[in-house]
C-alpha cells in the first residue's frame, strides 16, 4: 500500500483506473468468504475452551473502546460522513482483523485515501500494542489448571511434559497442499456464496451490502459442511491474502500522500485511545470480575486486534502450546463476527458525530 501510494503521488501510476474498480467490485467480495472457510462455529465452541470467553470479553472491550474513543476524538478532520465510518472500520479491525476492516470499508464506501491513512496510522499503534502485550505476558504454562478429556481437573507443573503437547490436536497442515484443483474449488465455492449472498441481499434488504449476508452464509456453510471447507482452508486463505493485498495496493494508489500525512495524527490518537480503553476494560472485566488468567486475556486481545495468525504466533513464541489451536479458532471467530458487530455501531456513532 505504501509503495503504490508513493508511486501514484510521484506520477508513475494513475490515481484512478478501471483496474482499481474491478478489484473493489469483484475481488474484495470474494476475499471475505475465502477467509471464512475455517469458521466452523461448532469447532470453535468445542475446542476454544476458556480462551473463547476471554475473546468475547475482548470484543466487548473493543466496542466500548470505540464508542469512548469516538466521543473523545470524533475524527472531524475526516469529515462528518467519513469519521464514523472509519471508527466502524477500526472497530472491525480490532475485533477480527484486516479482512473485516476491508469488508466494512467497502460496505460503507470509505474514501480510498482515508483507507490508506487509517491503515497506516493503525499499523503504527498496533505494532506498539503487540510489543506491550509481549512484554506483559509470561512464558511457559507451569502451575495452570486444565481439564482433561474425561472432565477431570489436572495441574500442569512442567511445560516440557509430554502430556502437554498431546492435548492439542491441530490439523495436519502439510497434507493440505495448494493445488490447481483446490484453487479452482475455493474460487468456485466463494463465487457461489457471493452470488447467493447478493441475491438474498437484493431480496431482503437492497440497501445493505451483500458482504454481510455473504459472510453469514459462509459461516453457516462452514459449520454445516466442515469437511469440505476444511479441505479448502489453506488455498482459500492464500487466495484471500492475495486479494486483500490487491485491495490495499488499489487503496494506496487512490490516496493523496499529503492527505495521509495530514490525517495521520488524529487517526493515530483515535486508534491509541481505542486500544488503551480496550485493554483497560479487558483487564478490568477479565481479571477483576471473572478472575481469568492474565496470559489468556493478553492472547485474546492479540486475537482481537491482529487475528488468528498473530495470536497463534504469540502462543507459540510464549511457549503456550495448549493455546495455539484455541488462538487460531477464536481469531477465526473474530473474522466471522466483527463485520456485523462493527456495522451495528453505525447509528450510535452517527448520533455522537452530529451531537
Amino acid at each position: 500500500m505504501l509503495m503504490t501510494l508513493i508511486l501514484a503521488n510521484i506520477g508513475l501510476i494513475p490515481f484512478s483506473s478501471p483496474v482499481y474498480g474491478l478489484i473493489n467490485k469483484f475481488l474484495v467480495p470474494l476475499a471475505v468468504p475465502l477467509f471464512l472457510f475455517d469458521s466452523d462455529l461448532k469447532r470453535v465452541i468445542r475446542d476454544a475452551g476458556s480462551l473463547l470467553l476471554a475473546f468475547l470479553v475482548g470484543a466487548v472491550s473493543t466496542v466500548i473502546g470505540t464508542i469512548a474513543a469516538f466521543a473523545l476524538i470524533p475524527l472531524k478532520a475526516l469529515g462528518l460522513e467519513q469519521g464514523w465510518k472509519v471508527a466502524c472500520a477500526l472497530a472491525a479491525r480490532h475485533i477480527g482483523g484486516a479482512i473485516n476492516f476491508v469488508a466494512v470499508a467497502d460496505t460503507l464506501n470509505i474514501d480510498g485515501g482515508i483507507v490508506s491513512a487509517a491503515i497506516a496510522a493503525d499499523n503504527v499503534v498496533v505494532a506498539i500494542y503487540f510489543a506491550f502485550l509481549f512484554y506483559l505476558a509470561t512464558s511457559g504454562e507451569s502451575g495452570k489448571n486444565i481439564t482433561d478429556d474425561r472432565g477431570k481437573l489436572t495441574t500442569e507443573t512442567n511445560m516440557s511434559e509430554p502430556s502437554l503437547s498431546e492435548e492439542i490436536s491441530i490439523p495436519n497442515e502439510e497434507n493440505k497442499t495448494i493445488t490447481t484443483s483446490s484453487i479452482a474449488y475455493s474460487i468456485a465455492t466463494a463465487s457461489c456464496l457471493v452470488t447467493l449472498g447478493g441475491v438474498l441481499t437484493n431480496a431482503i434488504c437492497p440497501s445493505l451490502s451483500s458482504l454481510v449476508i455473504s459472510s453469514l452464509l459462509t459461516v453457516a456453510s462452514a459449520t454445516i459442511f466442515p469437511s469440505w471447507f476444511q479441505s479448502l482452508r489453506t488455498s482459500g486463505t492464500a487466495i484471500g491474502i492475495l486479494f486483500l493485498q490487491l485491495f490495499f495496493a488499489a487503496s494506496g494508489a487512490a490516496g493523496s500522500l499529503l492527505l495521509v500525512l495530514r490525517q495521520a495524527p488524529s487517526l493515530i490518537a483515535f486508534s491509541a485511545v481505542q486500544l488503551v480503553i480496550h485493554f483497560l476494560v479487558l483487564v478490568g472485566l477479565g481479571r477483576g470480575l471473572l478472575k481469568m488468567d492474565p496470559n489468556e486475556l493478553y492472547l485474546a486481545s492479540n486475537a482481537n486486534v491482529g487475528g488468528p495468525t498473530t495470536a497463534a504466533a504469540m502462543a507459540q513464541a510464549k511457549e503456550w502450546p495448549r493455546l495455539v489451536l484455541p488462538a487460531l479458532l477464536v481469531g477465526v471467530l473474530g473474522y466471522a463476527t466483527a463485520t456485523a458487530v462493527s456495522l451495528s455501531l453505525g447509528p450510535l456513532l452517527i448520533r455522537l458525530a452530529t451531537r
Side-chain angles (χ1 to χ4, degrees):
M1 184 176 71
L2 178 61
M3 183 175 293
T4 55
L5 178 66
I6 294 172
L7 291 175
N9 280 268
I10 62 177
L12 292 182
I13 60 175
F15 281 108
S16 61
S17 168
V19 175
Y20 307 158
L22 183 144
I23 290 171
N24 290 326
K25 184 177 181 180
F26 296 107
L27 300 190
V28 170
L30 285 174
V32 174
L34 286 168
F35 271 100
L36 294 174
F37 280 0
D38 198 30
S39 56
D40 178 3
L41 294 184
K42 291 185 294 186
R43 183 171 179 238
V44 172
I45 295 171
R46 183 183 68 240
D47 296 338
S50 58
L51 194 64
L52 176 59
L53 177 59
F55 179 85
L56 294 176
V57 173
V60 171
S61 301
T62 294
V63 170
I64 295 172
T66 301
I67 296 170
F70 194 72
L72 295 171
I73 307 172
L75 298 174
K76 292 182 178 179
L78 305 182
L80 184 62
E81 282 300 312
Q82 295 292 322
W84 70 268
K85 294 178 181 179
V86 171
C88 285
L90 288 174
R93 166 73 193 271
H94 297 159
I95 294 174
I99 186 61
N100 300 103
F101 180 96
V102 171
V104 172
D106 183 74
T107 299
L108 299 179
N109 295 313
I110 300 177
D111 180 78
I114 294 176
V115 168
S116 302
I119 285 290
D122 190 59
N123 283 345
V124 172
V125 177
V126 166
I128 297 171
Y129 184 66
F130 281 167
F132 174 67
L133 291 178
F134 267 79
Y135 171 77
L136 292 178
T138 56
S139 298
E141 297 184 314
S142 59
K144 286 188 181 296
N145 291 327
I146 60 171
T147 304
D148 62 18
D149 293 335
R150 294 165 295 180
K152 295 180 179 179
L153 194 64
T154 61
T155 301
E156 296 171 11
T157 57
N158 186 341
M159 66 162 300
S160 63
E161 292 177 3
S163 61
L164 181 61
S165 61
E166 291 169 0
E167 291 180 36
I168 303 176
S169 177
I170 299 178
N172 194 356
E173 294 270 351
E174 57 268 19
N175 291 332
K176 296 177 181 175
T177 56
I178 298 176
T179 64
T180 53
S181 295
S182 68
I183 292 173
Y185 285 134
S186 296
I187 294 177
T189 301
S191 299
C192 291
L193 290 165
V194 169
T195 301
L196 183 57
V199 171
L200 291 176
T201 300
N202 289 332
I204 299 171
C205 184
S207 62
L208 184 69
S209 169
S210 63
L211 288 180
V212 177
I213 302 296
S214 298
S215 298
L216 295 175
L217 281 175
T218 307
V219 173
S221 300
T223 302
I224 298 170
F225 308 105
S227 298
W228 172 257
F229 285 91
Q230 277 286 325
S231 69
L232 300 178
R233 183 182 72 168
T234 304
S235 57
T237 300
I239 301 167
I241 290 173
L242 174 62
F243 290 171
L244 186 66
Q245 294 304 319
L246 287 172
F247 169 80
F248 286 140
S251 297
S256 165
L257 190 58
L258 290 176
L259 184 66
V260 170
L261 294 175
R262 191 184 315 126
Q263 294 171 341
S266 63
L267 288 167
I268 288 175
F270 177 86
S271 185
V273 171
Q274 184 186 35
L275 286 182
V276 166
I277 296 174
H278 158 86
F279 180 80
L280 293 176
V281 175
L282 174 70
V283 173
L285 291 177
R287 289 292 290 160
L289 185 63
L290 301 175
K291 309 299 182 185
M292 301 184 71
D293 176 12
N295 283 339
E296 290 193 358
L297 291 173
Y298 304 149
L299 184 60
S301 181
N302 188 306
N304 284 131
V305 176
T309 307
T310 61
M314 179 178 178
Q316 198 72 44
K318 286 295 181 179
E319 301 177 331
W320 304 330
R322 76 178 182 91
L323 293 176
V324 175
L325 177 59
L328 287 169
L329 292 175
V330 297
V332 171
L333 178 63
Y335 283 166
T337 58
T339 301
V341 171
S342 61
L343 287 174
S344 69
L345 293 176
L348 176 59
L349 296 180
I350 291 174
R351 286 199 295 271
L352 289 175
T354 55
R355 61 179 179 174

